[in-house]
Amino acid sequence: MSDYDDLPDFDTLLALHRRNPAALEDLRRDLSSQLVQSARRTTRRRLEGLQFRINMELERAGSAEARYRRLSRMMYESFAELNQCLNNPSEALRQREAAAGRSADVIPLDPRHKSH
């Protein structure tokens, strides 16, 4: 299935989940992979990282409800970050730089240089 128009309807997917959950998981992975591979090269690496995180969360979850909760939490955190960026961009940038370790004291390597 390469086109989203070819996706089965909800009832078919639900029946697949009940009858063969592994096949539904294979379909999810295949469609996710196709989407990532169809992205621009500049975006693909970030999407691959996100897909890896999603896959790890899904593997760690023990039940369908736990899977739902983990992915819902990830989406909520992403929306909260987007909200912060849109409503307070300078603070969001400051927090991102601090988290990335870009904020640091510079120590001169030249022993002749005296710091105050």
Side-chain angles (χ1 to χ4, degrees):
M1 287 183 198
S2 61
D3 190 7
Y4 296 111
D5 294 334
D6 296 337
L7 280 176
D9 62 33
F10 177 80
D11 292 328
T12 303
L13 292 172
L14 181 59
L16 182 60
H17 166 70
R18 290 179 176 155
R19 189 177 61 251
N20 189 350
L24 182 61
E25 178 62 15
D26 289 344
L27 176 63
R28 182 194 68 79
R29 286 185 182 268
D30 289 345
L31 291 173
S32 297
S33 178
Q34 288 176 23
L35 180 64
V36 169
Q37 293 307 311
S38 70
R40 289 187 203 156
R41 191 171 43 96
T42 56
T43 309
R44 193 174 306 138
R45 186 165 178 98
R46 182 173 165 99
L47 289 175
E48 288 169 343
L50 178 59
Q51 189 60 55
F52 177 80
R53 285 186 53 217
I54 290 170
N55 289 341
M56 292 299 102
E57 290 294 326
L58 293 176
E59 283 184 27
R60 290 175 40 194
S63 67
E65 182 179 346
R67 291 167 66 102
Y68 161 76
R69 288 177 190 253
R70 286 179 182 270
L71 292 185
S72 292
R73 186 182 65 242
M74 283 180 69
M75 288 190 313
Y76 175 80
E77 289 168 359
S78 292
F79 282 126
E81 183 180 345
L82 175 61
N83 184 45
Q84 175 73 5
C85 289
L86 292 173
N87 291 307
N88 195 348
S90 59
E91 177 64 18
L93 182 60
R94 187 194 64 73
Q95 288 176 354
R96 183 171 285 207
E97 287 175 347
R102 293 188 184 132
S103 177
D105 293 330
V106 177
I107 301 171
L109 297 178
D110 186 350
R112 296 172 288 175
H113 180 69
K114 301 279 184 189
S115 102
H116 297 97

